[in-house]
Amino acid sequence: MKAQKFNYSSLKELKADLKELDFELPLSENTKILNEELKINNRLIPNRIAIHPMEGADAEADGTPSELTKRRYKRFANGGAGLIWLEAIAVDKAGRANESQLYLKQENLAQFKDLIKLIKNESEVDPYTVAQLTHSGRFGENNIIAFNDQELDPVSIAENDFHIITDEELDQLQLDYLKAAELAAEAGFDAVDIKSCHRYLLSSLLAAYDRKGKYGGTYENRTRFLKETIMKVKNKVDIDLAVRLNIYDAIPGGWATDQDGNPDLAEAAKLLKELEELGVKLINVTASTPYLKPHVNRPYDNGGYQPPEHPLLGVKRLLELTKFTKENLNQTLVIGTGFSWLRQYGANAAAGMVAADWTDLAGFGRQAFAYPDFARDILQKGEMDSTKVCISCSKCAELKAAKKKAGCVIRDREIYLPIYRELQQEKELNNLSAASS
């Protein structure tokens, strides 16, 4: 299928292209099933719509939520989603992606408590909240890596400007995750995500086939950090456990990936079952890394990086990975990924997939940036407004990659269009400088 931008004016047209892809995606014109609640331990998730962790890169220098951070979560809370999975929160200073990433510590615990109170007070549905705990690894300012990687080194670290984290440092990092989980529980979060995706540090360890020591080589060693950290939190902290997980890396020789970059999901299926046995209550589905293959985890139409495939193929891949994840779990809830590119029809795909038992909840990321009250429209009106939806232009991703404050340049232009224009001007100046040197 030839690559093209979204151009569907009806479900009938979308179904025709899905048929061409031989993809039997369940689409439902009745979205009422998304209003159903879910029980998780003694807590209710009030509906089947989730907001994915979307980094705004706008924290204060010490990692405290800024006024712009609070504005974003106030808008999400007002929007009516039943679950809000907050953006990446660093567990230590060395693991921050940049100086504008959230960082939870004892000194700013009160401000995180206030953020959770704001979300709860602004929402009519009392959303379930997840804290995404992270270490940015090779994509952080300190260039900390688990091993040298011929695919990722060229796009993430400078030659001889990196640190291969030691086993002893990883042992200590487990304790940093535990401390962050304790603080998250005190702040009022319902769950913590031991983030293992997009080839940040923990995700990278899953692919550490050539690393020596107890955190590399065998399957047991490569999954050791994730599982031991989960056990530490489970044994010490009264909070639900979640994982945003790369189901596969889509990088040759990566996690659950063959040498050609195709999925080889036997280890992924095994890990999913083990995470459920360890007590993980939520799995949030994703794949690959936006730093190398953004079209895999975020199908889109435009941008400096040209997708090598029709975006609908990317949607198909993510939704099939969601179905695979659901099929390999019994009790753990699954949050599906891949709906935003479908614009207003993402609601129909979400409802159809929940009804067909392909997923338990539908997660929307970029859509929430562009259209923060999308969930309310689905739940109350049965559909999304086509004039408000994300147009998958990738400008929010460009801002985040450039370590700028990130949001929707199109739908929230008063704040983010000037920042985007500033970025474009910087790029032009850099190009001129490079041309004259």
Side-chain angles (χ1 to χ4, degrees):
M1 177 181 286
K2 185 179 178 180
Q4 63 184 46
K5 296 180 181 180
F6 181 95
N7 65 346
Y8 305 107
S9 59
S10 68
L11 273 176
K12 182 179 179 181
E13 291 178 0
L14 174 59
K15 288 177 180 178
D17 272 2
L18 290 170
K19 185 175 181 180
E20 185 177 338
L21 289 175
D22 194 28
F23 182 32
E24 295 183 3
L25 173 65
L27 292 166
S28 175
E29 294 187 24
N30 185 345
T31 63
K32 287 184 178 180
I33 195 169
L34 299 177
N35 291 69
E36 292 181 354
E37 62 186 20
L38 284 164
K39 190 170 184 180
I40 180 167
N41 286 340
N42 295 318
R43 179 82 164 83
L44 286 178
I45 302 174
N47 57 61
R48 302 289 187 122
I49 300 175
I51 291 178
H52 281 317
M54 294 294 293
E55 286 191 69
D58 53 19
E60 303 291 357
D62 67 347
T64 299
S66 69
E67 290 304 312
L68 197 53
T69 311
K70 288 182 277 189
R71 174 186 181 268
R72 178 166 57 261
Y73 286 102
K74 180 178 179 180
R75 283 156 60 91
F76 290 170
N78 286 333
L83 185 149
I84 299 177
W85 201 296
L86 278 77
E87 66 199 82
I89 302 170
V91 300
D92 67 6
K93 185 176 181 180
R96 293 180 80 185
N98 52 68
E99 290 186 355
S100 298
Q101 186 175 55
L102 292 174
Y103 171 24
L104 175 58
K105 50 191 175 179
Q106 188 66 50
E107 291 80 3
N108 62 12
L109 175 60
Q111 286 83 0
F112 277 89
K113 286 182 178 180
D114 289 342
L115 180 62
I116 293 299
K117 288 177 183 176
L118 175 69
I119 292 171
K120 300 293 186 179
N121 291 338
E122 290 292 333
S123 175
E124 296 180 357
V125 300
D126 189 17
Y128 186 93
T129 56
V130 183
Q132 183 174 76
L133 304 183
T134 192
H135 187 294
S136 296
R138 66 170 58 245
F139 301 115
E141 293 191 330
N142 292 283
N143 301 328
I144 296 170
I145 65 175
F147 59 93
N148 283 111
D149 186 307
Q150 65 179 2
E151 298 287 339
L152 283 171
D153 284 358
V155 301
S156 60
I157 59 174
E159 187 176 2
N160 299 321
D161 184 20
F162 60 86
H163 169 64
I164 298 179
I165 193 167
T166 66
D167 284 1
E168 292 74 21
E169 288 169 329
L170 286 169
D171 292 342
Q172 176 57 47
L173 187 60
Q174 286 194 23
L175 301 179
D176 294 338
Y177 271 86
L178 174 59
K179 178 60 178 177
E182 291 171 341
L183 292 172
E186 194 173 346
F189 286 94
D190 296 299
V192 289
D193 165 19
I194 311 301
K195 179 184 181 182
S196 189
C197 64
H198 300 165
R199 290 303 289 267
Y200 294 107
L201 185 61
L202 273 63
S203 172
S204 184
L205 285 168
L206 294 179
Y209 301 97
D210 297 326
R211 181 185 169 95
K212 305 299 183 183
K214 67 179 181 180
Y215 291 111
T218 65
Y219 169 85
E220 287 72 20
N221 285 352
R222 288 181 284 110
T223 58
R224 180 188 303 277
F225 187 97
L226 177 61
K227 292 187 289 189
E228 288 186 352
T229 302
I230 286 169
M231 285 302 299
K232 281 182 169 63
V233 175
K234 180 181 178 181
N235 291 335
K236 296 285 187 178
V237 189
D238 184 17
I239 196 167
D240 291 341
L241 288 158
V243 178
R244 190 165 206 217
L245 181 69
N246 259 21
I247 305 304
Y248 86 119
D249 283 349
I251 301 169
W255 161 251
T257 310
D258 67 19
Q259 294 303 318
D260 296 319
N262 299 312
D264 181 3
L265 301 179
E267 286 192 346
K270 182 178 180 180
L271 180 59
L272 286 168
K273 292 179 173 66
E274 290 176 348
L275 293 177
E276 182 168 66
E277 291 170 0
L278 289 172
V280 171
K281 299 300 181 184
L282 289 159
I283 295 288
N284 191 325
V285 175
T286 188
S288 198
T289 171
Y291 300 93
L292 190 64
K293 293 189 173 183
H295 65 281
V296 173
N297 68 286
R298 189 178 292 157
Y300 61 92
D301 286 346
N302 302 296
Y305 170 91
Q306 295 301 313
E309 63 184 18
H310 192 299
L312 197 54
L313 285 168
V315 172
K316 177 179 185 287
R317 181 188 298 114
L318 288 171
L319 298 185
E320 286 182 335
L321 289 174
T322 298
K323 181 174 183 283
F324 164 85
T325 302
K326 178 67 175 170
E327 289 171 345
N328 279 280
L329 296 167
N330 294 313
Q331 301 297 323
T332 299
L333 300 179
V334 175
I335 299 180
T337 300
F339 300 98
S340 288
W341 185 84
L342 295 170
R343 275 66 162 185
Q344 63 270 27
Y345 305 122
N348 305 104
M353 286 180 61
V354 170
D357 203 29
W358 284 28
T359 191
D360 297 293
L361 298 102
F364 294 79
R366 298 165 291 168
Q367 194 66 265
F369 268 173
Y371 183 3
D373 53 350
F374 77 96
R376 180 187 295 112
D377 282 353
I378 295 172
L379 299 169
Q380 295 183 2
K381 301 177 183 178
E383 61 183 4
M384 295 165 66
D385 186 335
S386 62
T387 68
K388 295 182 178 180
V389 295
C390 168
I391 62 170
S392 68
C393 68
S394 80
K395 288 180 173 61
C396 61
E398 287 182 58
L399 289 172
K400 193 265 180 182
K403 301 182 180 180
K404 301 284 188 181
K405 294 178 175 64
C408 185
V409 175
I410 306 301
R411 308 293 192 198
D412 201 4
R413 62 178 58 213
E414 182 176 338
I415 290 178
Y416 296 103
L417 182 56
I419 301 172
Y420 187 76
R421 284 175 172 162
E422 177 184 293
L423 174 61
Q424 297 307 107
Q425 290 170 357
E426 289 176 5
K427 288 181 178 179
E428 289 175 9
L429 289 173
N430 289 336
N431 289 338
L432 287 172
S433 177
S436 62
S437 63

